[in-house]
Amino acid sequence: MRNRNLYILTAVVVLLSLALSACSQSSNQTVRIATDATWPPFEYVDEDSKEIIGFDIDLINAIAADQGIEIEIVPVEWDALLAGVSQCQYDAAISAITITAERAETMLFSDPYINAGQIVAITADNTAIQGPADLAGMVVGAQIGTTGAIEIENIDGAELKTYDTVDLAYLDLINGQIDAVVADYPTAVSFVGQSNGQLITVGEVFTDESYGVAVCNENAELLDQINAGLNAVMSEGLIPELEAEWLAVSE
Ligand code: ARG
């Protein structure tokens, strides 16, 4: 009896360690892609399936398939995401990331894949704010560390209020806690569209920004693969397809 138990125990241990080594082997080859899944329609958690979905997720999957790379989507808070890529805690990140000169000092960027500038959102009953020029003297929300937050800081007299996630900024806006929110246009349209008419966007898109895939500085080879895959899927017309699928949200 003792022997038999010992035999079973040994078998279990052997199987477990085999399973473990299989895991660690595959994770050695798997490219870890960070995303902050709070930014519809680019990356967000689907209410029903609880899966991370969106434009960026479809795009990176298509790039990976084209290049034959195995990827794992790693959910990371935005505030930690760019630093994480800079420190190569993740191989790359796709997260509606605007390519900026400052960020490019600490990470690599793929070729741009879409344009998305900033837009102001307010409550539908607000007549005082028509665009960024009216934000002086106002409390304006944005997700911390985003280009939207940086733009608000650059507006004389506007007071920036930062949030860990942008949904909380729109919630505060609806609740009258702040006067406006600045965020990327497609994301603003998405939240305005979900607000049952309580929110509107005003004025023009007032910055010129392009998104790129961010890659850890030490991985120029991965950057080449991502650019090759991006070029391939772009020449097959994937971007307009994804735009039609994900960005055609009516206000
Ligand atoms: N495009 C803006 C930036 O790069 C906002 C990106 C926020 N993305 C996100 N997944 N939370 O700063």
Side-chain angles (χ1 to χ4, degrees):
M1 195 57 192
R2 270 220 48 197
N3 267 344
R4 193 162 161 235
N5 281 347
L6 199 65
Y7 175 75
I8 292 173
L9 189 70
T10 315
V12 167
V13 169
V14 167
L15 280 177
L16 265 180
S17 54
L18 276 178
L20 269 178
S21 78
C23 280
S24 64
Q25 255 174 30
S26 69
S27 72
N28 279 343
Q29 302 151 350
T30 304
V31 173
R32 298 177 73 236
I33 314 265
T35 197
D36 168 36
T38 66
W39 202 258
F42 290 95
E43 46 270 329
Y44 62 103
V45 177
D46 181 55
E47 274 181 23
D48 301 321
S49 69
K50 308 288 177 228
E51 308 244 322
I52 298 177
I53 59 168
F55 181 114
D56 279 348
I57 308 304
D58 284 358
L59 177 61
I60 197 69
N61 278 324
I63 293 172
D66 181 79
Q67 291 295 301
I69 6 185
E70 190 83 35
I71 60 165
E72 181 196 349
I73 300 289
V74 185
V76 181
E77 280 176 34
W78 175 255
D79 199 24
L81 183 141
L82 293 177
V85 179
S86 305
Q87 292 156 15
C88 296
Q89 286 171 14
Y90 315 103
D91 299 303
I94 190 158
S95 206
I97 304 170
T98 299
I99 303 170
T100 70
E102 197 191 335
R103 291 172 180 171
E105 283 172 13
T106 60
M107 63 192 77
L108 305 170
F109 274 108
S110 75
D111 296 334
Y113 59 86
I114 197 170
N115 283 73
Q118 302 303 306
I119 190 94
V120 178
I122 55 170
T123 51
D125 56 9
N126 182 334
T127 50
I129 300 174
Q130 304 295 327
D134 301 322
L135 293 179
M138 304 289 171
V139 181
V140 188
Q143 186 179 31
I144 189 165
T146 56
T147 45
I150 296 167
E151 288 302 324
I152 297 166
E153 280 179 318
N154 289 338
I155 298 174
D156 256 353
E159 185 188 327
L160 168 66
K161 182 157 186 214
T162 57
Y163 296 83
D164 287 342
T165 54
V166 81
D167 57 327
L168 298 176
Y170 289 108
L171 205 64
D172 257 10
L173 180 58
I174 288 175
N175 292 331
Q177 304 294 311
I178 57 177
D179 300 300
V181 170
V182 171
D184 300 2
Y185 179 73
T187 297
V189 167
S190 171
F191 281 100
V192 165
Q194 291 168 40
S195 74
N196 290 321
Q198 296 181 85
L199 301 180
I200 53 171
T201 59
V202 280
E204 304 283 310
V205 169
F206 63 96
T207 61
D208 183 18
E209 300 178 37
S210 309
Y211 294 170
V213 181
V215 177
C216 146
N217 245 328
E218 287 155 22
N219 210 336
E221 196 189 322
L222 178 62
L223 179 70
D224 287 346
Q225 284 180 306
I226 287 176
N227 273 332
L230 181 60
N231 273 305
V233 299
M234 277 175 99
S235 60
E236 287 159 10
L238 183 65
I239 299 296
E241 254 175 59
L242 293 180
E243 283 175 344
E245 181 174 351
W246 294 104
L247 305 193
V249 186
S250 60
E251 276 187 45

